[in-house]
Amino acid sequence: MDGRPLTVLIVDDTPENIDVLSAILDGLGCEIMVANQGQRALELAARRRPDLILLDVMMPGMDGFEVCRRLKADMSLAEIPVVFVTARTDDLAAGFAMGGSDYITKPLHAEEVRARVRHQVERLVLLRELRELNRSLEERVRDRTAELTLANRQLRIEINERRYMQDRLNYLATHDFVTRQFNRGALDAHVSELLAQLQRDGQPAAFLLLDIDQFRLVNESCGCIAGDELLRQFAELVAGCLGRQDFLARLGGDQFGVVAAGLSTAQAVALAERIQAQVAAYEFPWEERRFPLSVSIALVPLTRYIVSFEQLMLTADECAYHAKRAGRGTLRVHSPAPAAPPPGDEPADAGRGSTNWALTLFDALQQQHFRIHAQRIVPLRPPADGEPAPLRLETLVRLWDPERQRLLLPGQFIGPAVRFHLVTDIDRWMVRQVIQLLGQVPDRHAAIGQVAVNLSAVSVRDTTLPAQVAAWLDEHRVPGRLLCFEITETEAIVNLDAASQFMQQLRDLGCRFALDDFGSGFASFSTLRRLPFDAIKIDGVFVRDMDTDEVHAGMVRSMTEMARLLDKPVVAEWVESEQVAGQLRDLGVTWGQGHAFHRPEELTAERLRDWTAT
C-alpha cells in the first residue's frame, strides 16, 4: 500500500476492547488510531483518513450506526471500509444497510479479527491498484494513439489484467472466505431479484435457513480451526444435495441459507429432508474423534407477501428459533398464522471453569462414565393389610470423573448438557440402563412398585422416544408399569398437546408420570390439570424446614389439599427428620423421600434383590 503501513481507526467506548483489538492487530504491522466516542472518530477520520475503521455498534451518545451513516454521507470519507464490532447478530442487517463492509462478533476471537482485517486489506489493495491501473491505462492510451498498431498486444494484456482484478474484487465482495460459498451480501442481491420476479409472475420458490446443531460443541471444544473445517465440509454436503438453479450462501456463524427457485412447498420440504438425511449420515472427523451431525431447518415459502430480504430473514429467524427449541434435527415450515413464542427453557449458562464440558460429556456418553444411583421412596403410613409395601425408587444420574476419581452431581453437568444439546442423550442412556437393570431381576418384578426416571422437557419433545422405550421394554421383558417418568421443567414444555400425546403413548405401555418439584413455579399449577400426571412430588425446598417455617408448612398443606381434590397421591421430597415426617403423616401425604429414610446409593441388580428380599 504505497510503502506505508495500514492505518486502522478503532472506535470503542470501552478501553479494554480497544486494548484487545490493538493487541490482536499488533502482528499485522498496522498503525493504530483510537477514538472512544463517535464525534471524535469523525474528527480523526476527516483529519487522518484511515485505511480501515473498526467500529463498535453500542456506544453512548452517537452509536456506531450513526457514525457510519455520517462517514458514508461525506464523499471524501465514503470509501473507507467500516467493519462493525458487535455482540448482537440482529444488528447485522442494519449495519450493512448503513454501508458497513463486514462485521466482527463479540466475544473477540483473534484469528477471526485478523482474517477479516486481512480480507479488507486485500480488497483495499486491489481497489487502489485498480484505480492506479486505470489512470495508467488512460495516460498510455493518450500517449500511444499514434502507435496503436504496435501497442495493441500490450494493451490487450493490460485490459485482461484489469478484468482479472475486477473479477477477483467481485469474488471477494460476494463470497465467504471460509467456505468459498456466496456470502450474506450476495444472498441479499439474489433474493431481492427473485422477490421482484415473484411479484411479476408468481413462480413458486422457498428459502431454507440451515443451522448446524453441533457447531458450538465442535468449535468450543476443538477450536476455531476445527469449526472452520466443519463449516467447509458441511457446505460441501449441502451443495451436493442442490440443483443448478439453487443458491447456497453462508449467512455467518453456523447458519446457511438456500434459495430454491421453482419448487413448491412440498418439493422444498423434500429437499430439506434430503439435506437432513445427508448430514445425519455423515460424521465429522477431528483428532481421532468422530462427531455425529444434524441440522435444524426453517423453511419459508416465498410469496408476494414477502417484499424484502430483511422481512424474509426476520421470518426465517423466528421460524428457526422454534425449530431449535423443538430439538435437534428439526424441520419447521413457516406458517403465516401467528404463534405465541414458547416460554424459555434455557437454564442459566454455567461457567466452564477448567472443565471442557463439551468433550467431557461427549466422552462420558461414548465411554460409559455415567452411573445410576437410587433413593428409596417409603410409605408414610404402613399398609392396612400389614403386608410390606412394594419397592419404590427414584433413580439419580451421576457422572464419574476418571481424572479426579470422583462422582459429579447433576447440578454440575446438567446445565452444560442442555447448552450443548446432549441432555436428551443422557436421558436416553438413563432410561435404557434402568430397563436393562430391571430386566436382570425378572423374579423380583412383583415386589417392585415403580422405579422413577427423570426426563427433561427437551426429551418430552422427542417424538421417537416412546417407540424406543417400547422396544427396550420388549427386548428386556420388563413390564411398563415398573417405570414412572418424573418431569420437572413443565414451563419448558412448548406444546402441551404434543406433550400430552407423548405421555399418553408411554402410559399406553403401562408407564406412569409424576410432576416433580410441584410448587416451584406457576407452570406446575397451570399444567397439572392439562397433562396426564399420575402423582405429585412436592418440592423439597418447602418440605425440609416445614417444622420451623410456618409459611412453608402452609404451602405444603395447601399443595396436599389440592392433590387430594385432584385425587392424586403425593410424594414429599427432602424429608430429613422424623418431626417433618410426622407432620407429613398428619397432612395425609402418602410417600416420603429423603435422608431421614434412605441416602442415595449406586443401583445394581444385586441391590434390587436385597431391597425386595422377603
Side-chain angles (χ1 to χ4, degrees):
M1 296 184 58
D2 304 330
R4 62 182 179 84
L6 175 74
T7 304
V8 179
L9 171 58
I10 300 175
V11 185
D12 200 306
D13 63 315
T14 305
E16 290 82 0
N17 291 343
I18 293 176
D19 292 341
V20 170
L21 283 170
S22 299
I24 291 173
L25 298 180
D26 184 59
L28 299 181
C30 302
E31 179 181 344
I32 304 297
M33 300 186 298
V34 300
N36 60 4
Q37 55 177 304
Q39 187 58 44
R40 175 61 177 165
L42 294 173
E43 294 170 0
L44 276 176
R47 187 167 68 250
R48 298 286 300 276
R49 288 189 57 80
D51 298 303
L52 177 65
I53 297 176
L54 301 184
L55 179 58
D56 185 32
V57 172
M58 302 299 294
M59 294 187 297
M62 187 187 302
D63 64 12
F65 295 147
E66 178 61 18
V67 173
C68 182
R69 188 190 67 78
R70 295 192 184 188
L71 286 169
K72 298 305 178 182
D74 188 337
M75 296 300 295
S76 64
L77 305 175
E79 292 184 359
I80 300 175
V82 174
V83 177
F84 287 103
V85 181
T86 179
R88 296 174 47 184
T89 56
D90 54 355
D91 288 337
L92 301 182
F96 286 122
M98 290 294 177
S101 300
D102 206 345
Y103 69 94
I104 297 172
T105 57
K106 293 180 181 180
L108 299 172
H109 297 283
E111 289 303 319
E112 180 188 6
V113 174
R114 294 191 188 102
R116 292 188 183 274
V117 169
R118 290 193 190 100
H119 176 75
Q120 294 299 324
V121 170
E122 181 180 4
R123 179 176 179 274
L124 195 60
V125 169
L126 287 173
L127 278 172
R128 291 182 175 178
E129 289 179 355
L130 181 60
R131 292 195 186 96
E132 184 60 31
L133 182 59
N134 284 336
R135 287 195 295 268
S136 175
L137 283 174
E138 291 171 0
E139 183 177 346
R140 290 179 185 181
V141 168
R142 287 194 300 268
D143 293 341
R144 297 180 183 180
T145 300
E147 303 172 317
L148 182 59
T149 302
L150 297 177
N152 187 50
R153 181 174 181 273
Q154 183 62 32
L155 183 60
R156 288 199 306 271
I157 293 174
E158 293 175 346
I159 291 175
N160 287 337
E161 290 176 350
R162 183 174 69 174
R163 182 176 298 126
Y164 168 79
M165 283 188 287
Q166 288 174 329
D167 291 342
R168 178 62 180 166
L169 183 62
N170 180 65
Y171 181 89
L172 291 174
T174 58
H175 285 74
D176 171 61
F177 65 92
V178 174
T179 63
R180 303 295 185 239
Q181 300 294 332
F182 287 108
N183 59 18
R184 188 186 184 96
L187 180 66
D188 187 346
H190 181 79
V191 168
S192 298
E193 182 176 339
L194 182 61
L195 292 177
Q197 180 181 350
L198 184 65
Q199 295 296 325
R200 292 191 295 269
D201 56 28
Q203 181 185 22
F207 176 73
L208 281 66
L209 181 60
L210 282 57
D211 193 315
I212 308 173
D213 295 321
Q214 289 81 4
F215 178 76
R216 193 172 186 178
L217 168 66
V218 173
N219 195 59
E220 294 194 15
S221 61
C222 301
C224 295
I225 295 177
D228 287 350
E229 183 60 24
L230 172 57
L231 292 173
R232 282 191 287 271
Q233 294 188 23
F234 178 84
E236 291 175 3
L237 285 173
V238 174
C241 300
L242 304 181
R244 290 186 177 182
Q245 76 281 7
D246 299 326
F247 190 95
L248 172 64
R250 182 191 173 201
L251 297 172
D254 60 346
Q255 287 192 331
F256 291 77
V258 173
V259 179
L263 296 188
S264 65
T265 300
Q267 292 171 322
V269 168
L271 172 61
E273 292 174 344
R274 189 160 64 248
I275 292 173
Q276 287 183 320
Q278 185 76 6
V279 172
Y282 180 76
E283 291 185 338
F284 173 67
W286 190 261
E287 294 181 348
E288 301 181 354
R289 288 188 177 89
R290 300 186 70 86
F291 295 88
L293 299 180
S294 61
V295 56
S296 297
I297 301 179
L299 192 159
V300 181
L302 298 183
T303 67
R304 287 191 173 98
Y305 298 103
I306 298 178
V307 297
S308 70
F309 176 74
E310 290 76 17
Q311 181 189 358
L312 172 62
M313 291 309 303
L314 286 173
T315 304
D317 284 340
E318 181 182 3
C319 188
Y321 172 78
H322 291 291
K324 294 291 284 186
R325 298 293 291 276
R328 291 180 299 181
T330 300
L331 168 61
R332 189 178 184 94
V333 181
H334 170 70
S335 171
D345 63 347
E346 298 289 336
D349 197 12
R352 291 183 61 184
S354 60
T355 303
N356 187 334
W357 281 115
L359 289 183
T360 296
L361 294 171
F362 183 84
D363 289 344
L365 288 165
Q366 298 291 318
Q367 301 169 22
Q368 300 293 311
H369 287 168
F370 288 104
R371 302 287 184 268
I372 299 178
H373 281 55
Q375 186 174 41
R376 299 183 66 170
I377 303 172
V378 302
L380 292 177
R381 293 183 182 276
D385 57 8
E387 292 294 325
L391 175 68
R392 294 169 67 104
L393 303 170
E394 178 182 357
T395 57
L396 309 163
V397 67
R398 302 287 188 263
L399 174 60
W400 174 248
D401 183 350
E403 182 178 346
R404 299 178 178 85
Q405 294 291 298
R406 62 172 183 171
L407 283 173
L408 302 180
L409 298 177
Q412 296 172 270
F413 59 85
I414 290 299
V418 173
R419 177 187 176 199
F420 292 114
H421 305 288
L422 294 173
V423 70
T424 54
D425 297 304
I426 297 174
D427 286 350
R428 281 176 171 261
W429 182 91
M430 278 288 292
V431 176
R432 183 175 65 250
Q433 293 298 315
V434 169
I435 293 175
Q436 287 178 354
L437 278 173
L438 291 172
Q440 295 175 33
V441 291
D443 56 320
R444 295 291 194 265
H445 289 174
I448 299 175
Q450 67 178 35
V451 178
V453 183
N454 287 282
L455 278 188
S456 68
V458 180
S459 294
V460 175
R461 297 196 290 265
D462 185 354
T463 57
T464 66
L465 184 57
Q468 184 64 76
V469 172
W472 288 332
L473 291 172
D474 184 65
E475 177 186 355
H476 297 283
R477 300 182 181 277
V478 174
R481 68 165 185 82
L482 298 185
L483 289 183
C484 177
F485 294 103
E486 295 187 1
I487 303 176
T488 301
E489 322 96 85
T490 53
E491 71 277 6
I493 296 177
V494 177
N495 188 323
L496 288 178
D497 292 335
S500 181
Q501 182 180 0
F502 172 95
M503 296 170 68
Q504 191 57 52
Q505 287 177 294
L506 288 172
R507 283 169 58 87
D508 290 342
L509 300 174
C511 304
R512 285 163 285 185
F513 284 85
L515 175 58
D516 199 7
D517 291 346
F518 181 63
S520 60
F522 292 109
S524 298
F525 295 93
S526 64
T527 60
L528 178 58
R529 299 190 65 179
R530 297 186 62 184
L531 296 177
F533 288 105
D534 300 283
I536 293 171
K537 296 190 74 173
I538 298 177
D539 193 341
V541 170
F542 307 112
V543 174
R544 63 180 175 184
D545 62 352
M546 61 181 291
D547 57 331
T548 58
D549 189 320
E550 294 183 0
V551 174
H552 283 177
M555 294 186 70
V556 172
R557 187 181 307 110
S558 298
M559 287 183 277
T560 304
E561 178 62 15
M562 179 182 295
R564 187 187 65 79
L565 293 173
L566 295 173
D567 195 26
K568 297 184 185 296
V570 176
V571 181
E573 299 177 304
W574 297 8
V575 182
E576 298 180 356
S577 69
E578 179 55 38
Q579 185 173 353
V580 169
Q583 287 182 267
L584 293 170
R585 289 189 192 97
D586 294 339
L587 292 175
V589 175
T590 315
W591 301 87
Q593 178 183 350
H595 290 175
F597 308 115
H598 180 225
R599 290 183 176 272
E601 52 188 310
E602 187 168 3
L603 183 63
T604 62
E606 291 72 23
R607 191 57 50 85
L608 282 173
R609 290 186 182 278
D610 291 341
W611 287 340
T612 54
T614 56

